[in-house]
Amino acid sequence: MPDSMSEQLRRDMECEGLLECFHGLKELDKECFQALVDADEPMTVDELADVVDRERSTAYRSVQRLLQTGFIEKEQVNYEQGGYYHVYSPNDPAQIADDMQRMLNDWYAKMGQLIQEFETKYEQPDGTPQSAES
């Protein structure tokens, strides 16, 4: 097995939680997502940074990862005198779960295809496996 494939399998086997396994999210990302779920209304990055007790830039990077994975959404709020700011809120958990189920199904299909390709590549024309001496 090539190093990159064995390394990926090792990482896949070591992931502890759903968000980490599917999206590679960090502990802070999970904290930020939970804070947004617990909030009564959408939050700014500054508000989120205060809740998770991190620097604004650190919270912003986490928000960007959550946006990229589709866990949260961004909304623009306009000031009456001009200008705007963004607030963030969690997406529907059912939609997130559907997306993860789709990813799992795609992964499962891909692994099945790779296993079939492996078998086809190393099977002898008479249907027996290749010996180690071949």
Side-chain angles (χ1 to χ4, degrees):
M1 185 181 311
D3 286 341
S4 61
M5 184 181 286
S6 62
E7 179 66 20
Q8 179 63 44
L9 287 173
R10 184 190 62 75
R11 281 194 308 271
D12 288 348
M13 300 295 271
E14 288 180 357
C15 65
E16 295 175 7
L18 198 57
L19 303 184
E20 183 183 352
C21 286
F22 276 93
H23 299 289
L25 295 180
K26 303 170 191 259
E27 189 61 36
L28 175 61
D29 303 335
K30 294 182 240 181
E31 290 175 31
C32 288
F33 181 68
Q34 186 64 56
L36 290 169
V37 168
D38 293 343
D40 293 332
E41 56 188 39
M43 300 172 73
T44 65
V45 170
D46 291 323
E47 293 167 334
L48 186 58
D50 286 343
V51 170
V52 298
D53 194 28
R54 297 293 178 94
E55 294 290 324
R56 183 190 193 287
S57 60
T58 303
Y60 180 78
R61 285 190 298 275
S62 183
V63 163
Q64 293 306 303
R65 285 188 295 272
L66 290 168
L67 280 169
Q68 184 178 23
T69 59
F71 277 63
I72 65 173
E73 60 186 10
K74 175 170 72 171
E75 181 183 345
Q76 180 175 306
V77 179
N78 296 317
Y79 292 113
E80 284 185 26
Q81 67 273 23
Y84 62 89
Y85 62 98
H86 292 115
V87 292
Y88 302 89
S89 58
N91 278 324
D92 176 27
Q95 181 60 48
I96 295 170
D98 286 349
D99 290 344
M100 286 190 284
Q101 184 64 57
R102 205 170 7 268
M103 287 176 69
L104 178 60
N105 293 345
D106 291 348
W107 180 86
Y108 185 79
K110 179 65 176 171
M111 290 303 106
Q113 178 184 351
L114 291 173
I115 290 168
Q116 184 61 52
E117 289 173 7
F118 175 86
E119 183 179 17
T120 301
K121 180 176 180 177
Y122 294 105
E123 189 174 57
Q124 292 289 334
D126 65 2
T128 60
Q130 288 184 355
S131 67
E133 291 93 41
S134 294

